[in-house]
Amino acid sequence: MEDRKLTVRAVERALDILMCFTKHNELGLTEIAGMINLHKSTVHRLMTTLEEKGFVIRDAATEKYHLGMKVWELSTHLSQNDDPSVMLLPAMERLRDQLGETVSLYLRDGKDRIRIQAVQSNQAIRRVAQVGARLPLYVGASSKVLVAFAPLGEQQDLLNDPEWPDSIDRNGYMRQLKEITERGYATSLEEREPGAAAVSVPIVNRSGVVTAALSVSGPVSRLSMNTLHEFAPVLIEAAREMGLMIP
Protein backbone atom coordinates (compact mmCIF):
# COMPACT_ATOMS: atom_id res chain seq x y z
CA MET A 1 0.00 0.00 0.00
CA GLU A 2 2.83 2.39 0.87
CA ASP A 3 4.56 1.72 -2.46
CA ARG A 4 1.31 2.48 -4.28
CA LYS A 5 0.99 5.83 -2.50
CA LEU A 6 4.57 6.72 -3.39
CA THR A 7 3.95 5.82 -7.03
CA VAL A 8 0.85 8.00 -7.20
CA ARG A 9 2.72 10.87 -5.58
CA ALA A 10 5.48 10.56 -8.16
CA VAL A 11 2.90 10.76 -10.94
CA GLU A 12 1.36 13.85 -9.35
CA ARG A 13 4.76 15.52 -9.16
CA ALA A 14 5.55 14.67 -12.79
CA LEU A 15 2.23 16.16 -13.89
CA ASP A 16 2.88 19.26 -11.78
CA ILE A 17 6.16 19.66 -13.64
CA LEU A 18 4.48 19.41 -17.04
CA MET A 19 1.87 21.97 -15.99
CA CYS A 20 4.68 24.46 -15.31
CA PHE A 21 5.09 24.69 -19.07
CA THR A 22 1.58 26.09 -19.56
CA LYS A 23 3.00 29.52 -18.74
CA HIS A 24 6.62 29.16 -19.89
CA ASN A 25 8.23 27.85 -23.07
CA GLU A 26 11.42 26.78 -21.31
CA LEU A 27 12.49 26.33 -17.70
CA GLY A 28 15.56 25.35 -15.71
CA LEU A 29 15.68 22.93 -12.80
CA THR A 30 15.88 25.69 -10.20
CA GLU A 31 12.88 27.48 -11.69
CA ILE A 32 10.77 24.32 -11.75
CA ALA A 33 11.78 23.37 -8.22
CA GLY A 34 10.66 26.78 -6.99
CA MET A 35 7.37 26.68 -8.87
CA ILE A 36 6.25 23.33 -7.42
CA ASN A 37 8.07 23.61 -4.09
CA LEU A 38 10.26 20.53 -4.46
CA HIS A 39 13.96 19.93 -3.84
CA LYS A 40 16.10 20.40 -6.93
CA SER A 41 17.45 16.82 -6.74
CA THR A 42 13.91 15.43 -6.77
CA VAL A 43 13.01 17.54 -9.78
CA HIS A 44 16.17 16.38 -11.54
CA ARG A 45 15.19 12.71 -11.12
CA LEU A 46 11.70 13.36 -12.43
CA MET A 47 12.97 15.42 -15.35
CA THR A 48 15.38 12.64 -16.29
CA THR A 49 12.46 10.21 -16.53
CA LEU A 50 10.31 12.66 -18.48
CA GLU A 51 13.21 13.28 -20.85
CA GLU A 52 13.75 9.57 -21.40
CA LYS A 53 10.06 9.17 -22.24
CA GLY A 54 10.12 12.10 -24.66
CA PHE A 55 7.86 14.47 -22.72
CA VAL A 56 10.57 17.09 -22.24
CA ILE A 57 13.78 17.96 -24.08
CA ARG A 58 16.88 19.42 -22.45
CA ASP A 59 18.91 22.06 -24.25
CA ALA A 60 22.54 21.20 -23.52
CA ALA A 61 23.67 24.78 -24.20
CA THR A 62 21.28 26.52 -21.83
CA GLU A 63 20.52 23.58 -19.51
CA LYS A 64 16.86 24.47 -19.79
CA TYR A 65 13.96 22.19 -20.67
CA HIS A 66 11.04 22.54 -23.05
CA LEU A 67 8.16 20.24 -23.95
CA GLY A 68 8.97 17.25 -26.13
CA MET A 69 7.23 15.66 -29.10
CA LYS A 70 5.38 13.13 -26.93
CA VAL A 71 3.11 15.92 -25.71
CA TRP A 72 2.28 16.84 -29.29
CA GLU A 73 1.76 13.18 -30.15
CA LEU A 74 -0.79 12.83 -27.36
CA SER A 75 -2.63 15.98 -28.43
CA THR A 76 -3.10 14.64 -31.96
CA HIS A 77 -5.21 11.80 -30.53
CA LEU A 78 -7.77 14.04 -28.85
CA SER A 79 -11.28 13.11 -29.91
CA GLN A 80 -12.17 15.56 -32.67
CA ASN A 81 -15.84 14.78 -32.22
CA ASP A 82 -15.81 16.14 -28.66
CA ASP A 83 -13.12 18.82 -28.94
CA PRO A 84 -14.60 22.33 -29.36
CA SER A 85 -11.25 23.66 -30.56
CA VAL A 86 -11.51 21.36 -33.58
CA MET A 87 -15.26 21.48 -34.18
CA LEU A 88 -15.50 25.27 -34.06
CA LEU A 89 -12.33 26.15 -35.95
CA PRO A 90 -13.98 26.61 -39.39
CA ALA A 91 -16.64 28.91 -37.89
CA MET A 92 -13.93 30.88 -36.07
CA GLU A 93 -12.03 31.31 -39.33
CA ARG A 94 -15.17 32.64 -41.02
CA LEU A 95 -15.68 35.09 -38.16
CA ARG A 96 -12.05 36.24 -38.45
CA ASP A 97 -12.52 36.85 -42.17
CA GLN A 98 -15.75 38.75 -41.54
CA LEU A 99 -14.44 41.07 -38.80
CA GLY A 100 -10.74 41.11 -39.67
CA GLU A 101 -9.55 40.61 -36.08
CA THR A 102 -8.17 37.77 -33.97
CA VAL A 103 -10.78 35.26 -32.74
CA SER A 104 -10.22 33.18 -29.60
CA LEU A 105 -12.05 30.41 -27.77
CA TYR A 106 -11.79 30.06 -23.98
CA LEU A 107 -12.80 27.42 -21.44
CA ARG A 108 -12.91 27.88 -17.68
CA ASP A 109 -10.61 25.78 -15.53
CA GLY A 110 -11.02 26.49 -11.82
CA LYS A 111 -9.95 30.06 -11.14
CA ASP A 112 -8.47 30.50 -14.62
CA ARG A 113 -9.50 30.57 -18.23
CA ILE A 114 -7.58 28.74 -20.93
CA ARG A 115 -7.37 29.76 -24.57
CA ILE A 116 -7.97 26.46 -26.36
CA GLN A 117 -8.12 27.83 -29.90
CA ALA A 118 -7.22 31.03 -31.74
CA VAL A 119 -7.40 32.28 -35.31
CA GLN A 120 -5.01 35.15 -35.86
CA SER A 121 -5.94 38.32 -37.71
CA ASN A 122 -4.41 38.71 -41.18
CA GLN A 123 -3.70 42.39 -40.62
CA ALA A 124 -0.11 43.58 -40.30
CA ILE A 125 -0.74 45.09 -36.87
CA ARG A 126 -2.65 42.53 -34.88
CA ARG A 127 -3.04 40.92 -31.50
CA VAL A 128 -1.38 37.50 -31.44
CA ALA A 129 -3.24 35.10 -29.15
CA GLN A 130 -1.24 32.13 -27.88
CA VAL A 131 -3.15 28.84 -27.71
CA GLY A 132 -2.83 27.17 -24.31
CA ALA A 133 -2.39 30.42 -22.42
CA ARG A 134 -3.80 30.31 -18.89
CA LEU A 135 -5.22 33.63 -17.70
CA PRO A 136 -6.97 34.87 -14.53
CA LEU A 137 -10.76 35.02 -14.32
CA TYR A 138 -11.03 38.43 -12.69
CA VAL A 139 -10.04 40.57 -15.70
CA GLY A 140 -10.71 40.60 -19.44
CA ALA A 141 -13.84 40.32 -21.57
CA SER A 142 -13.89 36.53 -21.89
CA SER A 143 -13.16 36.10 -18.17
CA LYS A 144 -16.13 38.27 -17.27
CA VAL A 145 -18.36 36.31 -19.62
CA LEU A 146 -17.35 32.97 -18.08
CA VAL A 147 -18.00 34.33 -14.58
CA ALA A 148 -21.19 36.25 -15.44
CA PHE A 149 -22.91 33.15 -16.75
CA ALA A 150 -21.63 30.85 -14.00
CA PRO A 151 -23.84 29.81 -11.04
CA LEU A 152 -24.07 32.41 -8.27
CA GLY A 153 -22.25 30.15 -5.80
CA GLU A 154 -19.25 29.91 -8.11
CA GLN A 155 -19.24 33.68 -8.52
CA GLN A 156 -19.20 34.15 -4.76
CA ASP A 157 -16.37 31.63 -4.36
CA LEU A 158 -14.29 33.61 -6.84
CA LEU A 159 -15.02 36.96 -5.18
CA ASN A 160 -14.19 35.56 -1.75
CA ASP A 161 -10.95 33.95 -2.89
CA PRO A 162 -7.89 35.20 -0.92
CA GLU A 163 -6.07 35.75 -4.23
CA TRP A 164 -8.65 38.25 -5.45
CA PRO A 165 -6.73 41.48 -6.29
CA ASP A 166 -7.35 44.35 -3.88
CA SER A 167 -7.30 46.73 -6.85
CA ILE A 168 -10.57 45.32 -8.22
CA ASP A 169 -13.66 46.39 -6.29
CA ARG A 170 -15.92 43.39 -5.72
CA ASN A 171 -19.16 45.37 -5.76
CA GLY A 172 -18.22 47.10 -8.98
CA TYR A 173 -17.28 43.78 -10.51
CA MET A 174 -20.66 42.28 -9.58
CA ARG A 175 -22.40 45.25 -11.21
CA GLN A 176 -20.42 44.53 -14.37
CA LEU A 177 -21.53 40.90 -14.29
CA LYS A 178 -25.17 41.95 -14.04
CA GLU A 179 -24.81 44.25 -17.05
CA ILE A 180 -23.11 41.47 -19.03
CA THR A 181 -25.91 38.97 -18.41
CA GLU A 182 -28.49 41.59 -19.39
CA ARG A 183 -26.89 42.57 -22.70
CA GLY A 184 -25.32 39.21 -23.51
CA TYR A 185 -21.68 40.23 -24.01
CA ALA A 186 -18.66 41.77 -22.30
CA THR A 187 -16.08 44.30 -23.43
CA SER A 188 -12.63 45.29 -22.24
CA LEU A 189 -10.23 48.09 -23.11
CA GLU A 190 -6.66 47.55 -21.92
CA GLU A 191 -7.87 45.71 -18.81
CA ARG A 192 -5.28 42.96 -18.92
CA GLU A 193 -2.93 43.96 -21.70
CA PRO A 194 -1.91 47.51 -22.67
CA GLY A 195 -3.02 48.43 -26.17
CA ALA A 196 -5.50 45.55 -26.51
CA ALA A 197 -9.30 45.57 -26.69
CA ALA A 198 -11.79 42.71 -26.82
CA VAL A 199 -15.45 41.76 -26.92
CA SER A 200 -16.67 38.35 -25.79
CA VAL A 201 -19.90 36.34 -25.74
CA PRO A 202 -20.94 33.01 -24.19
CA ILE A 203 -21.37 29.86 -26.26
CA VAL A 204 -24.39 27.88 -25.05
CA ASN A 205 -24.57 24.23 -26.09
CA ARG A 206 -27.67 22.32 -27.17
CA SER A 207 -28.35 21.41 -23.53
CA GLY A 208 -28.54 25.08 -22.57
CA VAL A 209 -25.22 25.14 -20.71
CA VAL A 210 -22.57 27.82 -21.19
CA THR A 211 -19.54 25.81 -22.28
CA ALA A 212 -17.11 28.42 -23.61
CA ALA A 213 -16.46 32.08 -24.33
CA LEU A 214 -15.95 33.38 -27.86
CA SER A 215 -13.82 36.51 -28.13
CA VAL A 216 -12.65 38.94 -30.79
CA SER A 217 -9.63 41.06 -29.92
CA GLY A 218 -7.26 43.53 -31.51
CA PRO A 219 -5.38 46.79 -31.00
CA VAL A 220 -7.22 49.72 -29.43
CA SER A 221 -6.25 51.78 -32.46
CA ARG A 222 -8.87 49.84 -34.43
CA LEU A 223 -11.20 48.59 -31.72
CA SER A 224 -12.81 51.52 -29.98
CA MET A 225 -15.63 50.91 -27.53
CA ASN A 226 -18.11 51.82 -30.26
CA THR A 227 -16.56 49.23 -32.56
CA LEU A 228 -16.74 46.58 -29.85
CA HIS A 229 -20.45 47.26 -29.40
CA GLU A 230 -20.93 47.05 -33.18
CA PHE A 231 -19.14 43.69 -33.26
CA ALA A 232 -21.27 42.25 -30.43
CA PRO A 233 -24.37 41.26 -32.47
CA VAL A 234 -22.15 39.50 -35.01
CA LEU A 235 -20.45 37.54 -32.23
CA ILE A 236 -23.75 36.68 -30.58
CA GLU A 237 -25.08 35.18 -33.81
CA ALA A 238 -21.81 33.31 -34.45
CA ALA A 239 -21.86 31.92 -30.90
CA ARG A 240 -25.49 30.80 -31.34
CA GLU A 241 -24.55 28.82 -34.45
CA MET A 242 -21.49 27.35 -32.73
CA GLY A 243 -23.57 26.30 -29.73
CA LEU A 244 -25.80 24.20 -31.99
CA MET A 245 -22.73 22.12 -32.85
CA ILE A 246 -21.97 21.20 -29.23
CA PRO A 247 -24.03 18.47 -27.48
Side-chain angles (χ1 to χ4, degrees), residues 108 145-155:
R108 180 180 175 184
V145 160
L146 292 171
V147 177
F149 292 92
L152 181 59
E154 294 181 15
Q155 294 179 4

Side-chain angles (χ1 to χ4, degrees), residues 103-145:
V103 178
S104 299
L105 187 68
Y106 295 90
L107 295 182
R108 180 180 175 184
D109 182 29
K111 295 184 290 185
D112 299 320
R113 58 178 162 117
I114 300 176
R115 185 184 294 119
I116 65 167
Q117 186 59 279
V119 181
Q120 313 297 342
S121 168
N122 291 324
Q123 303 201 50
I125 299 176
R126 60 188 177 182
R127 180 171 182 268
V128 177
Q130 181 183 0
V131 174
R134 180 178 290 269
L135 304 165
L137 272 180
Y138 49 77
V139 65
S142 56
S143 288
K144 291 184 289 188
V145 160

Side-chain angles (χ1 to χ4, degrees), residues 60-71:
T62 63
E63 296 189 350
K64 289 183 178 289
Y65 295 85
H66 58 86
L67 292 177
M69 294 301 293
K70 279 295 182 181
V71 176

Side-chain angles (χ1 to χ4, degrees), residues 14 18 44 49 56 58 65 106 109 112 173 187 203 231 246:
L18 292 177
H44 180 265
T49 301
V56 298
R58 179 178 175 272
Y65 295 85
Y106 295 90
D109 182 29
D112 299 320
Y173 187 84
T187 59
I203 296 180
F231 279 5
I246 305 175

